[in-house]
Amino acid sequence: MSISVAVSGASGYAGGEVLRLLASHPEVSIGAITAHNNAGSRLGEVQPHLHSLADRLLEDTTVANLMGHDVVFLALPHGTSAAIARQLPPETLVIDAGADHRLEDSAAWAKFYDSDHAGSWPYGLPELPGQREKLRSARRIAVPGCYPTSALLALAPGFAAGALQADDVVIVSASGTSGAGKTAKVNLIGSEVMGSMSPYGVGGGHRHTPEIEQGLSKAAGVPVTVSFTPTLAPMSRGILATATAKVSPKFRTADGGALLRQIWLDAYEDEPFVHVLPPGQWPSTKSVQGSNHAALQLAFDPHAGRVVVCCAIDNLTKGTAGGAVQCMNLALGLTETAGLNFQGVAP
């Protein structure tokens, strides 16, 4: 018997990407498809690429419409998922693609989101040390933010192995405009974005900073301080994160680069979606577009005593919807890669 799935926020980028993946998933049937402002519209009007679902009507995002499903995906604005999730049965697998349940520190939530903290759920990044087992049989899962997904994949192995120092981590990430959502904004229109890059959330102001620190601190076993700067790139999808950290003294040797590389190779050796590229090949966002894959490369800078790790993901797939479906597969005991066997798209 197939697994019934409801998707909220289906008119947005994240909800649409969840539906794109589920439409090819061999184990699920798609039930309620809901939205807010676009309720009553044909899905094909707002997501014309979803041909097999184009004639489905968008229902209103209410608890009543989401009830009765085995799985509910919440692809809603930050601060709106928790109220709905609280009313869904405990046996329903609820996967929140928003930020409501990612942070464990209520003070950090209040500082960056200025609302009441809804508590934390198991964190949906299976590739983190020990995290996969926590997701098996979970019934509430918080999908990571797209920037934290790339940043944590880039640096967690080094911290888990004790190879990196916790006090001077710098991450600069370039993201496609879809990361800002579908709401019309002047700074995201084509005339402003084409042929231009710009930073935002500079100086520790971006909401994903505490999430990145939370994940790296867990990997390291000590508090990690992160300076995070996001930039907007003239592309629709993708993230390229460049993450650097000081290398522990014992790795600042002539063979330090090889030792560091082996740490990352060992960490991701059996991972189906994370790939450390051969020496000399650096990741690009195009190579992972439309897929649940992450491409990594690292280098040791002996002059600065730092490791530099570059990670490319598709912010809508591995960074959001693909990670959500991967977590659903784990929680339900399905093959982890089910519905996610997409390669990148080129050119």
Side-chain angles (χ1 to χ4, degrees):
M1 185 172 68
S2 63
I3 298 158
S4 64
V5 176
V7 178
S8 67
S11 60
Y13 289 136
E17 187 75 349
V18 171
L19 285 172
R20 181 179 76 88
L21 299 175
L22 292 178
S24 299
H25 197 293
E27 304 289 343
V28 307
S29 61
I30 299 173
I33 300 175
T34 78
H36 182 53
N37 292 334
N38 291 295
S41 302
R42 288 176 60 253
L43 182 65
E45 295 175 28
V46 293
Q47 305 283 19
H49 63 297
L50 299 177
H51 305 290
S52 65
L53 301 169
D55 290 331
R56 296 285 299 274
L57 287 180
L58 287 163
E59 303 177 57
D60 194 16
T61 298
T62 65
V63 173
N65 285 333
L66 297 174
M67 282 283 194
H69 297 84
D70 299 312
V71 184
V72 173
F73 288 92
L74 299 176
L76 302 174
H78 304 320
T80 60
S81 296
I84 291 176
R86 280 194 290 266
Q87 300 177 69
L88 294 172
E91 65 270 17
T92 301
L93 173 57
V94 182
I95 300 178
D96 186 6
D100 290 27
H101 303 95
R102 296 171 185 163
L103 294 181
E104 297 176 2
D105 185 346
S106 59
W109 173 269
K111 176 181 177 180
F112 283 89
Y113 292 92
D114 194 26
S115 62
D116 293 335
H117 186 225
S120 63
W121 291 354
Y123 193 68
L125 190 56
E127 293 86 359
L128 290 180
Q131 199 63 23
R132 185 171 272 107
E133 289 308 312
K134 295 178 182 178
L135 296 171
R136 298 190 196 277
S137 301
R139 284 300 173 264
R140 297 291 188 270
I141 295 174
V143 178
C146 51
Y147 282 128
T149 295
S150 56
L152 295 175
L153 291 176
L155 290 180
F159 280 109
L164 304 179
Q165 297 182 195
D167 61 336
D168 185 10
V169 179
V170 178
I171 301 169
V172 178
S173 297
S175 174
T177 55
S178 60
K182 216 171 185 177
T183 302
K185 300 171 185 174
V186 172
N187 68 308
L188 298 178
I189 63 176
S191 298
E192 300 292 329
V193 172
M194 288 187 297
S196 177
M197 285 191 68
S198 58
Y200 65 102
V202 180
H206 195 277
R207 290 173 167 180
H208 284 168
T209 301
E211 188 181 341
I212 296 170
E213 290 187 334
Q214 174 179 284
L216 293 181
S217 297
K218 282 181 173 290
V222 296
V224 174
T225 302
V226 173
S227 173
F228 173 58
T229 303
T231 64
L232 193 66
M235 58 186 182
S236 60
R237 330 169 50 123
I239 286 178
L240 182 65
T242 301
T244 78
K246 286 182 180 178
V247 174
S248 300
K250 66 180 180 179
F251 289 92
R252 297 181 196 176
T253 61
D255 60 349
L259 295 173
L260 289 168
R261 180 175 179 80
Q262 194 59 50
I263 288 172
W264 268 259
L265 288 172
D266 291 343
Y268 294 130
E269 180 180 11
D270 297 322
E271 290 296 341
F273 296 120
V274 184
H275 312 284
V276 180
L277 299 176
Q281 182 180 354
W282 288 87
S284 65
T285 56
K286 189 67 176 178
S287 69
V288 295
Q289 183 169 308
S291 79
N292 198 51
H293 294 273
L296 296 173
Q297 185 57 277
L298 66 147
F300 174 48
D301 180 350
H303 175 71
R306 304 181 72 90
V307 69
V308 181
V309 188
C310 290
C311 176
I313 64 170
D314 185 316
N315 60 297
L316 291 179
T317 316
K318 182 57 177 168
T320 309
V325 172
Q326 185 179 352
C327 288
M328 177 193 75
N329 291 338
L330 278 168
L332 297 179
L334 305 175
T335 302
E336 186 173 340
T337 57
L340 296 171
N341 294 315
F342 297 99
Q343 304 299 304
V345 177

